[in-house]
Amino acid sequence: MKKIISFFITLFSLILLSLTTYAAEPATTDTIKFFDNGDYLITSIEDEASASDIALLSTTTTKSKTSKYYNSNNELMWYVKVTGTFTYGNGTSKCTASSVTAQSYVSAWKITSKSASKSGNTAIGKATAKQYFNSTVVNTINRTVKLTCSSAGVFS
C-alpha cells in the first residue's frame, strides 16, 4: 500500500512540475521601425533566466528587450535595453525588478540620459540619444522600451 501511495505522490509531483515550468510562448519576431532618413530601429526580446515555484504554481523569469539603432548604411549606432524580472502564473503576472542599459558605438551619438521603472506587469526602460555634428546637436531620439509579461508567461 505504501508503494502505491508513494507512486501516486511522485506522479502528482511530476505533473505539477511540468505544469509550472511550461509557458505557452510563441516564437518572438523582431520588429523594425524605419525613419525618413533611412535609419532604423530593430527591437527584440531575449531570455535571461527563469525558475519555478511548485508550491505557488508560479514562475520567476528574467528577460530583456533591446532596441538597436542603425544608420542607413546598416551600421549599429546605439542601443537601449530594458531587463525585467517577472513572476507569473496562477492567473497573475507582476514585474518585480527593472533595469536599463544604453550605449553608443560611435562618437557622433551620445546617450545623454537613461532610466528604468516598473508598473504592474511591465518593465520600462527609457533613454535619450543625441547625434552631434561639430559640437551641435543635429538629432535627438527619445526611446522607450516596454517589456510586458502576461499571466501565461507570454512576453511582448
Side-chain angles (χ1 to χ4, degrees):
M1 183 67 168
K2 287 182 183 180
K3 288 182 180 181
I4 294 174
I5 292 172
S6 177
F7 171 77
F8 281 111
I9 289 174
T10 303
L11 181 63
F12 182 72
S13 297
L14 289 173
I15 291 170
L16 277 178
L17 179 63
S18 68
L19 290 175
T20 59
T21 58
Y22 175 75
E25 185 170 348
T28 59
T29 57
D30 293 344
T31 58
I32 302 175
K33 176 182 178 181
F34 290 96
F35 296 91
D36 292 338
N37 64 357
D39 294 357
Y40 57 98
L41 273 165
I42 296 179
T43 303
S44 58
I45 297 173
E46 300 99 25
D47 287 325
E48 299 291 332
S50 65
S52 296
D53 187 342
I54 295 173
L56 298 176
L57 295 175
S58 66
T59 300
T60 299
T61 189
T62 301
K63 291 207 182 237
S64 61
K65 189 173 186 178
T66 306
S67 279
K68 296 177 181 177
Y69 186 91
Y70 293 84
N71 69 8
S72 58
N73 293 323
N74 301 319
E75 298 166 324
L76 180 59
M77 300 287 105
W78 54 268
Y79 77 91
V80 58
K81 174 180 177 179
V82 64
T83 301
T85 301
F86 301 87
T87 300
Y88 64 89
N90 206 21
T92 64
S93 66
K94 181 179 181 180
C95 178
T96 58
S98 175
S99 64
V100 67
T101 56
Q103 180 181 342
S104 171
Y105 291 104
V106 294
S107 59
W109 283 94
K110 291 184 179 23
I111 303 298
T112 58
S113 69
K114 60 184 177 178
S115 64
S117 61
K118 57 185 171 64
S119 177
N121 63 342
T122 303
I124 304 163
K126 295 181 180 182
T128 299
K130 293 188 178 186
Q131 183 180 21
Y132 291 83
F133 181 75
N134 291 334
S135 301
T136 303
V137 176
V138 294
N139 193 5
T140 299
I141 296 180
N142 296 305
R143 184 67 181 160
T144 299
V145 181
K146 294 181 178 182
L147 178 59
T148 302
C149 176
S150 75
S151 61
V154 177
F155 289 84
S156 57

